[in-house]
Amino acid sequence: MISIQLVRDDPEAVKRAIARKGEPTDAIDRLLAADARRRVIEAEANDLRAERNAGNRQLGELLRAGQAADADALKARMAALSQQIDAMSGELAQLESAIEADLLQVPNLPDDSVPDGAGAEDNPVVRSWGELAAAGSAAPHWEIGERLGLFDLERGAKIAGSGFILYTGPGARLQRALIGLMLELAEGHGYREVWSPILVNAASARGTGQLPDKEGQMYVVERDDLYLIPTAEVPVTNLYRDEILPADALPIYHAAYTPCFRREAGAAGKDTRGLLRVHQFDKVEMVKFVHPDTSRDELETLTRNAEEVLEALELPYRTVERCTADLGFAPAKGYDLEAWSPGVGKWLEVSSCSNYTDFQTRRMNLRYRASADARPELLHTLNGSGLGMSRTYAALLETHLQPDGSIRIPAALQPHFGSDAIR
């Protein structure tokens, strides 16, 4: 969440920043009103407590002096003060709850450098790599997968429903090989691997901004108040929740493979064929915990780390900067990596790399201490896909399809797959 002090200092600037994302700004006025009322009540309650404390001291003096009548009157006054203080404490608790609820609804403010735009179509291309095959020059991946027996869409749907994929034979081995290569590349860049739970509690989902913004997209285990993760970002970023880290421990890099689950896989049948929009998919996620002064540069290196996975897989791609309307609720700045899919004839998003600044750490109460006697401060978090598997898998099949119908396995992937082709 953003700082309430930021709202106090310049509410109009905060509103303008929120509006750049296309988000409503009405919560800011409610926050200002509730915060003003809270400060008034706090001041009044402090005055009453001071009067009560002074009265308690005076009461002792009256009792020692034997002035019983005056003592009884003062006791009555103290009782009335206590009732007033209790009532104020109750109102303060309600105001605190309302302020927190509204702060949770306010998106992170976009960095000044983020380009303005109305949607993904306005995302500027930052760079590109590789030579693009002509659209339609390859069969779509679902035809390739069916012919080579790499995955079974019908049986996956029978087991769980539409959007759940059953990988088989060399197709399952290819999935495992991709995960292995991605983790290996991440480790080479200094990311320490973790193997995390795939269920998280509400505090974890709230800490990274999935709640209350994205609850409709998450699978919920209502009986146990747990959520299936939409990405490893959620459990890994929460590793250090409610902790104070020493500054010399930063930066901390982690990478994790997890299956990911999302209820909203596609709307009105859009892109629902094959592997492009699914409810369960695999992903390797890279997460960074860094000093605030370095987070801008850390986003650039994080994005480059993800790009190198695509280059290792020999997949042409482009990197776009997400404009304000496409940036999302929690990030302050971010890039998307899109692999070219010649069989489908379109760019496929395979990674999002984002800088959250202190938006997540304020929710998680995650801080660092510059020195032993220094005041704890909020650090910055970043994450990026390295990569999302199903669309990467689709682009790989279509890009490396050979004239004889086989799939060439890129050299970097061969040690993990155990062969140079799928035939």
Side-chain angles (χ1 to χ4, degrees):
M1 65 180 72
I2 68 170
S3 166
I4 186 64
Q5 189 62 49
L6 193 61
V7 177
R8 291 171 183 161
D9 291 345
D10 198 340
E12 294 307 314
V14 171
K15 287 181 181 181
R16 288 194 297 270
I18 294 170
R20 290 184 68 207
K21 281 190 169 184
E23 297 281 352
T25 62
D26 52 296
I28 301 304
D29 290 330
R30 292 197 302 271
L31 281 167
L32 286 171
D35 183 55
R37 176 61 180 160
R38 174 178 63 178
R39 285 185 286 174
V40 167
I41 294 176
E42 284 176 342
E44 291 178 353
N46 287 336
D47 289 343
L48 293 179
R49 290 189 187 96
E51 182 182 350
R52 185 175 62 180
N53 291 338
N56 286 331
R57 290 191 296 271
Q58 184 183 3
L59 182 62
E61 295 172 1
L62 292 173
L63 291 173
R64 285 191 295 273
Q67 297 176 314
D70 290 339
D72 288 342
L74 186 57
K75 285 180 183 179
R77 173 60 180 161
M78 294 299 98
L81 286 175
S82 294
Q83 288 182 342
Q84 287 181 271
I85 293 169
D86 289 344
M88 288 180 173
S89 296
E91 186 176 355
L92 276 174
Q94 293 177 349
L95 286 168
E96 293 284 358
S97 179
I99 289 169
E100 182 178 4
D102 271 330
L103 280 173
L104 288 172
Q105 297 288 346
V106 176
N108 198 2
L109 307 186
D111 189 85
D112 291 340
S113 65
V114 175
D116 288 314
E121 65 279 0
D122 293 327
N123 292 341
V125 177
V126 176
R127 53 187 166 267
S128 58
W129 183 91
E131 296 184 9
L132 305 188
S137 61
H141 62 275
W142 55 84
E143 292 182 6
I144 299 171
E146 182 179 4
R147 178 173 55 79
L148 294 175
L150 305 182
F151 47 82
D152 191 325
L153 302 178
E154 291 184 2
R155 287 193 171 92
K158 178 174 69 174
I159 293 168
S162 176
F164 294 89
I165 312 301
L166 174 68
Y167 294 92
T168 57
R173 181 155 50 102
L174 177 60
Q175 186 85 337
R176 182 160 39 90
L178 286 166
I179 294 167
L181 173 63
M182 292 175 188
L183 287 171
E184 179 183 86
L185 292 172
E187 183 181 11
H189 290 301
Y191 295 85
R192 186 167 184 254
E193 184 180 353
V194 296
W195 194 279
S196 73
I198 61 172
L199 286 163
V200 295
N201 56 31
S204 294
R206 189 176 300 110
T208 48
Q210 273 65 37
L211 298 180
D213 181 53
K214 298 183 178 67
E215 58 266 54
Q217 300 177 23
M218 301 176 74
Y219 284 96
V220 185
V221 185
E222 293 184 357
R223 179 175 178 178
D224 301 300
D225 195 23
L226 293 172
Y227 299 80
L228 283 165
I229 61 171
T231 166
E233 167 198 351
V234 182
V236 177
T237 308
N238 277 276
L239 279 175
Y240 306 107
R241 188 176 76 235
D242 293 321
E243 295 186 27
I244 300 175
L245 304 176
D248 58 9
L250 303 177
I252 298 173
Y253 300 165
H254 285 306
Y257 152 71
T258 62
C260 305
F261 304 87
R262 296 184 185 179
R263 294 183 64 249
E264 299 299 325
K270 180 177 172 57
D271 294 334
T272 54
R273 294 195 71 180
L275 309 179
L276 301 189
R277 289 186 179 272
V278 294
H279 290 298
Q280 177 183 336
F281 60 98
D282 293 309
K283 185 150 70 88
V284 169
E285 190 79 1
M286 300 177 291
V287 177
K288 291 185 172 187
F289 305 84
V290 305
H291 190 282
D293 292 345
T294 68
S295 67
R296 288 191 177 206
D297 290 338
E298 292 281 7
L299 175 61
E300 303 304 318
T301 58
L302 172 68
T303 305
R304 183 65 194 137
N305 296 157
E307 290 172 342
E308 289 178 7
V309 182
L310 285 164
E311 292 171 15
L313 295 173
E314 302 173 33
L315 296 177
Y317 69 88
R318 67 182 186 182
T319 300
V320 303
E321 182 171 4
R322 299 201 302 277
C323 70
T324 49
D326 195 41
L327 186 56
F329 182 80
K333 184 179 178 69
Y335 300 99
D336 283 350
L337 276 58
E338 300 173 344
W340 175 244
S341 170
V344 176
K346 64 187 301 182
W347 293 100
L348 305 178
E349 180 194 319
V350 295
S351 175
S352 288
C353 299
S354 303
N355 183 1
Y356 295 85
T357 60
D358 60 7
F359 188 79
Q360 294 178 328
T361 53
R362 182 172 284 104
R363 287 171 173 241
M364 294 187 296
N365 191 32
L366 169 55
R367 297 168 291 169
Y368 75 97
R369 198 188 298 274
S371 61
D373 57 350
R375 181 179 179 179
E377 299 179 58
L378 296 168
L379 48 82
H380 284 192
T381 56
L382 305 92
N383 67 60
S385 312
L387 304 162
M389 214 66 65
S390 58
R391 293 176 187 174
T392 302
Y393 192 109
L396 187 145
L397 295 184
E398 296 175 9
T399 300
H400 298 311
L401 178 66
Q402 302 301 296
D404 65 358
S406 65
I407 305 298
R408 181 177 67 84
I409 300 299
L413 190 59
Q414 290 175 17
H416 296 271
F417 185 71
S419 177
D420 63 358
I422 300 175
R423 297 179 176 87

